[in-house]
Amino acid sequence: GWAMPTLKLQARLAAAVYKCGRRRIWLDPNETSDISMANSRANVRKLIKDGFIIRKPVKVHSRARWHRRQEAKLLGRHTGVGCRAGGREARMPSKNIWMRRLRVLRRMLKKYREQKKIDCHLYRALYLKAKGNVFRNKRNLMEYIHKMKNEKKKEKQLADQLAARKQKEASYREKAYKQELAR
């Protein structure tokens, strides 16, 4: 029986001419005899011009399913024990969590210092405390700052009261001394 000529060479040349893969080359099944005669790139180019050899469009690689799954993941689906491939440290490294927290705290301290809410000495003390893992989060640090400021205010008030009392006593003593002299 008559065997159909193989068009391997022609397909390879067409792929090279089109700069695409062999799978995207379509050879017209009705023109196999003409195509099989082509044995050079020039001949293949002519067949391409005649429309006997066509480059097929790129296959669709849809990401619709991926998008659907991502949306479900945002709702917390597909994140159970059975869907996890990496260990806890691989999925969410504790170092990353630490860096994120420390950067947040340092940013806040810097902002407070620029706004003159804390002085440079308190800033330095709190900076080192933040590095030493004293504060859990921003709110924790904020409460601590308020506490420190209140304590400072109280100390200042006490010191002022003490100074006032001392002055009062001194003025009394002065008065008493003057009266003593007057007698």
Side-chain angles (χ1 to χ4, degrees):
W2 178 80
M4 195 173 103
T6 64
L7 306 175
K8 254 184 170 171
L9 168 74
Q10 288 76 8
R12 181 173 63 75
L13 293 175
V17 168
Y18 265 135
K19 293 191 178 70
C20 69
R22 163 70 188 90
R23 297 169 61 181
R24 282 182 65 196
I25 299 301
W26 178 83
L27 306 169
D28 193 339
N30 304 324
E31 309 292 340
T32 43
S33 52
D34 284 1
I35 293 172
S36 64
M37 299 306 288
N39 59 0
S40 68
R41 280 157 206 265
N43 292 353
V44 166
R45 278 198 198 92
K46 188 178 179 306
L47 291 170
I48 285 169
K49 211 170 90 178
D50 296 343
F52 295 162
I53 298 176
I54 295 172
R55 178 172 57 181
K56 288 191 280 195
V58 178
K59 286 246 174 72
V60 172
H61 178 188
S62 169
R63 282 175 73 75
R65 279 184 300 276
W66 179 87
H67 282 301
R68 210 163 55 223
R69 195 173 176 86
Q70 286 307 105
E71 278 169 20
K73 271 192 177 180
L74 285 176
L75 296 173
R77 316 289 185 266
H78 315 293
T79 50
V81 178
C83 286
R84 295 177 203 165
R88 180 193 300 162
E89 198 61 21
R91 289 164 64 83
M92 188 57 141
S94 54
K95 183 174 180 177
N96 285 6
I97 294 170
W98 164 254
M99 287 195 312
R100 192 182 305 153
R101 189 169 97 203
L102 197 61
R103 283 172 183 172
V104 163
L105 294 177
R106 283 179 177 173
R107 212 175 300 134
M108 184 177 155
L109 283 173
K110 208 179 272 182
K111 200 173 80 181
Y112 269 34
R113 186 182 58 184
E114 279 165 11
Q115 291 172 349
K116 301 275 192 293
K117 284 185 181 177
I118 55 175
D119 62 344
C120 58
H121 303 292
L122 185 56
Y123 169 84
R124 180 49 46 194
L126 293 175
Y127 187 95
L128 292 172
K129 272 186 167 26
K131 184 183 177 180
N133 197 13
V134 173
F135 309 115
R136 290 190 303 279
N137 48 36
K138 251 165 78 168
R139 197 167 85 224
N140 199 211
L141 173 57
M142 218 181 286
E143 283 165 5
Y144 190 88
I145 290 173
H146 289 318
K147 204 171 82 179
M148 293 280 281
K149 283 170 85 172
N150 286 341
E151 273 176 25
K152 240 183 189 171
K153 205 188 282 177
K154 264 189 193 152
E155 275 175 27
K156 195 173 182 296
Q157 278 176 343
L158 286 172
D160 288 350
Q161 281 172 0
L162 203 65
R165 195 180 299 147
K166 270 186 181 168
Q167 193 138 14
K168 216 174 189 184
E169 282 172 7
S171 68
Y172 271 140
R173 235 178 275 129
E174 189 89 22
K175 220 180 198 179
Y177 182 66
K178 277 182 181 165
Q179 281 174 355
E180 199 73 32
L181 285 178
R183 279 186 202 156

